Amino acid sequence: MSLLAHLARPAAALVGLLLVAGVALAQPQPTDAQRQAAVEVAESLRYGHYADISLDDAWSHQAFERYLSVLDGQRAFLLAGDVDDFRHLEARIDDALFDGDLNDIYALYHRYHERAESRFEWLLERLDEGLNFTYDSDMRLELERAETPWAESIEELDELWSKRLKNAALTLAISGQDDDQVETNLRQRYEGQLSRVRQTNEEDIFGLFMAAVTSSIDPHSGYLSPRQGESFDIQMRLSLEGIGAMLQSDGEYVKVASLVPGGPADRAGVLEPADRIIAVGQEEGEMVNVVGMRLDNVVDLIRGPKGSVVRLDVVPAQAVDMTRSRVVEITRDTVNLEDQAAQGKVIEIERDDGMHRIGVIKIPTFYVDFDAWQAGEEDFRSTTRDVAREVERLKEEGVEGIVLDLRNNGGGALQEANSLIGLFIDRGPTVQVRDARGRISLYGDTEAGTLYDGPLGVLVNRLSASASEIFAGAIQDYGRGLVLGTPTFGKGTVQTLNDLSHGQIKLTRAKFYRISGDSTQHRGVEPDIIFPSLIDPELIGESSLDNALDWDTVRSVQYRHYGEPWRHLEAIKDRHRTRAAEHPNFRYLTEQAELNRRLREQTVSVSLNREQRQREVEEQEAEQLALENTRRQALGLDLLEEWIDARDEESDEEPVEQVQVQEAAHILLDYALLDPGYRYAQRN
């Protein structure tokens, strides 16, 4: 995972790690420091990880397959015979770790290295001969090969790479590049990949193997080399500028996992989760193709001094083909506490009986000014303090309910989630934390009284994670309010960073549980009323990550119910369904989400016939255009002549932003009017 964000954000998948820059060495060998670190990693996993781990032969088989996936996840370099030569490692990786015997581990990497180096040389030779492709055959290229059997011969891989080269050239040609530009771009891509392969050093190989070892346990544990650890420390101090985005590998591509609230990319509004980055450029000069580039190297290209501009060639998440990219510009900056502060507003809702007012407070993250707090300053900034101020203001403005908007809130300070719950309950438990030994610690609000006891809603989405899930889960369990939106991320684990003799290890040490006893891990929080979402749960979320820890339960704790919103759910849902069916944006979201799912399932291969490829893309885009124009016509907006990314057309809020907040306010008003307690309070 890119460390452009912070440790509290959900970790990203390690699949696709391939190429690393370093010092050129012919045959890197494991160092004594790495051998010792391997032993320490094994001991840490065995005795310090939350899960009950047996580093035995069965685990060795899993780790071996994971290592192959890290090296060659698309099975495009190694042959079946290469893999067979190292099958003995299937039952020996546990021994290799505990003994610090990494020779065969490095030997397997060397075999991959030889295959990759010769393959990129082969590709460059094809370019030297000149590209003379004709795009009139009926051939197709399979896009996902993770489960494909290993190739039996070089000739079989030659055929695969001939298709890959042809597809790469066709993709660039369809996007409008002439023959010279196509050849230049492909040469830059393959020369860059060859250069990075040749520069691999022993630290890079050790890092790849450790990635396989730790990610075979869970996706949030990981090894940091001394260089990575230093970089991590700098970023945690927020002294390194960037664009404020969390990135992760996705096969040959780097995609956006989430945006840091209030960060440069978030403010610019030009990136969304699941967008793929195919090239990076500075304010001036040529763009660097990053297809096939290791995640760390892509991050290095994106980073830069505050105030400078980075250009990204991006394929939007909703694009039906890799040819549909666009270049966006983002000015690098740091993320300030002020940019992440909670902010409130009033939404007016017109009903038959007149105008109603509902307050909405956007909470981008759970933050606290630790320096001011530790210094004993009385007016230090925090999520709880800022929300309390907004609640008081909204109460003075006479709102009939308050919606807390936690969409895209990836977590932050646990103490703030804990204290924020205390604004809405009269003391009580908030979350359970179970450690590796099975011991459960109970956290709660100890202050008597509530700041606000009126109708409450919590709006969440797939990017609401960690502390956000703790807050939403507690409000739901207490019956204190309604949770609305989409199922949350499912990040219910706690990591710690520990020093090794060489590098550091980030280790999953505990798990969060709701006061009801349910874990937030994997499943997240299920809203009381579910909204449609354009964020694909198959691509984003804990359940999309390999080897994510399972959902489970512990004993519930004693707590009181502040209300029984479930008594009114059916009536509230009926009213919601009626409004959703009539609202153009809600219909659009529902139909677009279904279309995205269907297109993803259909796109398992691409045609290498230019006319067929363009026809398939045009047919898919015609569906999206019809859907978009139906929405526009209903809203009285100008119709589009061709399908484009909707972000190019929206001047203010996205449809999903506007309609979900508005509908959450309607639902909360329905709840306030249906619940006898709230009706009585309003009369008095």
Side-chain angles (χ1 to χ4, degrees):
M1 172 181 292
S2 156
L3 293 174
L4 288 171
H6 50 76
L7 184 61
R9 314 277 302 176
L14 289 166
V15 179
L17 294 175
L18 283 175
L19 312 169
V20 192
V23 180
L25 290 176
Q27 288 285 316
Q29 298 297 323
T31 65
D32 289 341
Q34 290 162 358
R35 296 179 192 276
Q36 177 59 32
V39 175
E40 294 172 9
V41 167
E43 295 292 336
S44 297
L45 292 172
R46 187 177 185 180
Y47 298 111
H49 196 279
Y50 173 83
D52 184 13
I53 298 169
S54 297
L55 300 183
D56 52 17
D57 289 355
W59 172 81
S60 289
H61 176 83
Q62 184 180 359
F64 176 71
E65 293 298 329
R66 189 68 178 169
Y67 187 38
L68 289 174
S69 178
V70 166
L71 294 179
D72 189 9
Q74 291 299 303
R75 304 194 172 191
F77 296 98
L78 293 169
L79 298 173
D82 296 328
V83 176
D84 289 341
D85 287 344
F86 291 91
R87 282 290 177 194
H88 61 281
L89 284 174
E90 282 187 315
R92 290 202 61 250
I93 287 185
D94 56 333
D95 300 321
L97 277 176
F98 284 115
D99 297 339
D101 182 5
L102 305 179
N103 290 338
D104 284 351
I105 301 296
Y106 275 53
L108 175 51
Y109 176 84
H110 294 324
R111 182 70 61 87
Y112 157 76
H113 180 281
E114 292 170 358
R115 296 298 189 195
E117 185 175 33
S118 63
R119 180 53 59 188
F120 292 127
E121 289 172 344
W122 181 89
L123 287 165
L124 291 169
E125 288 172 2
R126 301 289 82 74
L127 290 175
D128 289 339
E129 295 169 0
L131 296 179
N132 57 352
F133 292 131
T134 57
Y135 304 109
D136 55 6
S137 71
D138 59 357
M139 289 192 302
R140 300 187 70 87
L141 173 66
E142 183 183 14
L143 295 178
E144 180 54 53
R145 290 176 46 84
E147 303 299 325
T148 302
W150 296 97
E152 295 291 340
S153 66
I154 291 292
E155 290 73 24
E156 189 177 339
L157 286 182
D158 286 347
E159 182 179 353
L160 168 65
W161 279 97
S162 292
K163 288 184 177 181
R164 283 190 159 198
L165 180 59
K166 188 172 185 177
N167 178 61
L170 177 58
T171 299
L172 295 175
I174 292 178
S175 66
Q177 297 185 18
D178 60 31
D179 291 346
D180 289 340
Q181 290 174 313
V182 169
E183 183 176 330
T184 298
N185 269 309
L186 292 179
R187 187 176 299 280
Q188 180 191 69
R189 178 188 304 184
Y190 299 133
E191 284 179 347
Q193 291 176 330
L194 177 59
S195 175
R196 287 185 289 276
V197 166
R198 286 175 171 169
Q199 292 174 358
T200 304
N201 63 25
E202 68 279 347
E203 198 66 66
D204 304 326
I205 303 171
F206 185 70
L208 291 171
F209 177 55
M210 288 295 102
V213 167
T214 56
S215 65
S216 69
I217 305 296
D218 87 288
H220 302 293
S221 294
Y223 170 79
L224 279 70
S225 69
R227 175 174 171 266
Q228 289 172 322
E230 180 182 355
S231 177
F232 182 81
D233 290 341
I234 292 172
Q235 292 157 56
M236 287 297 285
R237 293 195 299 269
L238 296 180
S239 59
L240 190 65
E241 286 80 29
I243 64 171
M246 177 176 289
L247 309 178
Q248 71 182 56
S249 295
D250 183 19
E252 290 187 312
Y253 299 97
V254 167
K255 75 177 180 183
V256 178
S258 62
L259 303 178
V260 178
D266 184 36
R267 295 197 301 269
V270 294
L271 289 181
E272 289 186 353
D275 285 355
R276 284 160 291 185
I277 299 171
I278 60 176
V280 178
Q282 306 313 311
E283 192 163 4
E284 297 179 354
E286 294 184 358
M287 304 279 283
V288 177
N289 191 294
V290 298
V291 177
M293 186 180 292
R294 178 178 164 134
L295 180 61
D296 290 358
N297 293 340
V298 178
V299 171
D300 287 341
L301 288 174
I302 293 175
R303 285 193 188 125
K306 179 179 179 179
S308 63
V309 173
V310 62
R311 291 178 295 142
L312 306 176
D313 195 1
V314 176
V315 178
Q318 294 184 41
V320 298
D321 190 84
M322 294 303 295
T323 62
R324 282 2 192 200
S325 69
R326 63 177 195 156
V327 176
V328 302
E329 293 186 354
I330 301 174
T331 301
R332 299 177 176 103
D333 201 353
T334 51
V335 180
N336 299 316
L337 193 61
E338 192 66 35
D339 296 325
Q340 299 187 326
Q343 294 183 334
K345 64 179 181 180
V346 174
I347 290 181
E348 294 187 338
I349 298 176
E350 188 173 0
R351 294 280 178 93
D352 292 339
D353 60 347
M355 195 68 72
H356 297 264
R357 296 162 64 83
I358 297 292
V360 177
I361 302 176
K362 175 67 177 176
I363 306 175
T365 187
F366 287 93
Y367 55 88
V368 61
D369 188 341
F370 282 108
D371 292 338
W373 174 57
Q374 291 176 340
E377 297 180 16
E378 293 185 1
D379 59 345
F380 68 89
R381 295 290 300 275
S382 74
T383 298
T384 303
R385 289 182 167 208
D386 287 347
V387 170
R389 183 191 66 246
E390 293 298 307
V391 167
E392 294 285 18
R393 183 176 64 81
L394 292 172
K395 285 164 62 177
E396 291 176 1
E397 294 192 31
V399 297
E400 298 173 53
I402 294 177
V403 175
L404 301 177
D405 186 354
L406 297 183
R407 289 174 304 166
N408 304 330
N409 184 325
L414 175 61
Q415 70 185 63
E416 285 303 306
N418 195 52
S419 60
L420 187 65
I421 296 168
L423 298 182
F424 308 102
I425 66 169
D426 182 14
R427 77 173 103 186
T430 56
V431 65
Q432 304 182 73
V433 180
R434 184 180 188 271
D435 67 17
R437 296 184 180 179
R439 298 174 301 193
I440 294 178
S441 300
L442 186 62
Y443 295 83
D445 168 45
T446 58
E447 294 188 17
T450 60
L451 179 68
Y452 177 74
D453 57 8
L456 186 67
V458 181
L459 183 57
V460 294
N461 68 358
R462 187 64 169 174
L463 295 177
S464 303
S466 197
S468 291
E469 297 173 288
I470 291 171
F471 180 87
I475 294 299
Q476 192 176 57
D477 289 339
Y478 273 114
R480 181 59 190 85
L482 289 169
V483 178
L484 314 168
T486 64
T488 59
F489 192 95
K491 171 67 163 62
T493 56
V494 184
Q495 285 72 41
T496 61
L497 195 63
N498 303 316
D499 289 332
L500 304 172
S501 61
H502 182 78
Q504 297 173 301
I505 185 169
K506 180 158 66 81
L507 205 61
T508 296
R509 296 295 302 270
K511 208 170 181 181
F512 291 128
Y513 293 86
R514 294 162 58 161
I515 55 176
S516 63
D518 288 352
S519 171
T520 58
Q521 170 63 16
H522 207 282
R523 293 186 185 179
V525 176
E526 185 86 0
D528 299 302
I529 297 179
I530 295 180
F531 293 170
S533 173
L534 297 184
I535 300 176
D536 191 338
E538 295 293 321
L539 301 177
I540 300 292
E542 189 77 5
S543 60
S544 72
L545 303 178
D546 292 336
N547 301 317
L549 297 185
D550 292 332
W551 176 89
D552 63 347
T553 63
V554 296
R555 281 188 178 183
S556 65
V557 297
Q558 287 189 335
Y559 59 95
R560 58 174 285 194
H561 284 138
Y562 285 81
E564 298 178 323
W566 46 85
R567 288 181 175 272
H568 310 289
L569 262 184
E570 286 309 310
I572 294 172
K573 285 181 178 180
D574 286 341
R575 298 182 185 189
H576 159 66
R577 283 191 286 262
T578 299
R579 283 190 301 268
E582 295 174 352
H583 198 295
N585 280 341
F586 242 100
R587 291 201 306 270
Y588 168 80
L589 287 175
T590 302
E591 294 168 2
Q592 181 68 60
E594 172 58 26
L595 177 59
N596 288 349
R597 182 196 61 78
R598 182 161 51 82
L599 292 179
R600 178 174 54 81
E601 292 177 352
Q602 290 175 353
T603 311
V604 296
S605 67
V606 292
S607 174
L608 300 181
N609 181 298
R610 183 165 188 155
E611 291 184 3
Q612 176 68 17
R613 176 80 159 269
Q614 289 180 313
R615 185 162 54 249
E616 290 175 358
V617 171
E618 288 168 0
E619 289 173 355
Q620 292 173 340
E621 289 186 348
E623 288 189 79
Q624 293 186 317
L625 177 62
L627 199 58
E628 174 67 17
N629 278 339
T630 298
R631 180 185 76 86
R632 287 176 167 272
Q633 187 173 29
L635 293 173
L637 301 174
D638 293 337
L639 302 186
L640 302 178
E641 294 184 2
E642 60 180 347
W643 184 87
I644 59 175
D645 186 356
R647 284 171 288 183
D648 293 333
E649 287 294 311
E650 297 297 331
S651 57
D652 287 317
E653 292 181 304
E654 294 288 314
V656 66
E657 296 289 329
Q658 183 178 359
V659 72
Q660 290 190 345
V661 173
Q662 288 282 349
E663 180 57 20
H666 273 287
I667 290 172
L668 190 59
L669 179 59
D670 290 339
Y671 176 40
L673 297 175
L674 284 168
D675 188 279
Y678 292 134
R679 288 204 308 272
Y680 176 80
Q682 289 170 345
R683 288 196 302 270
N684 293 273

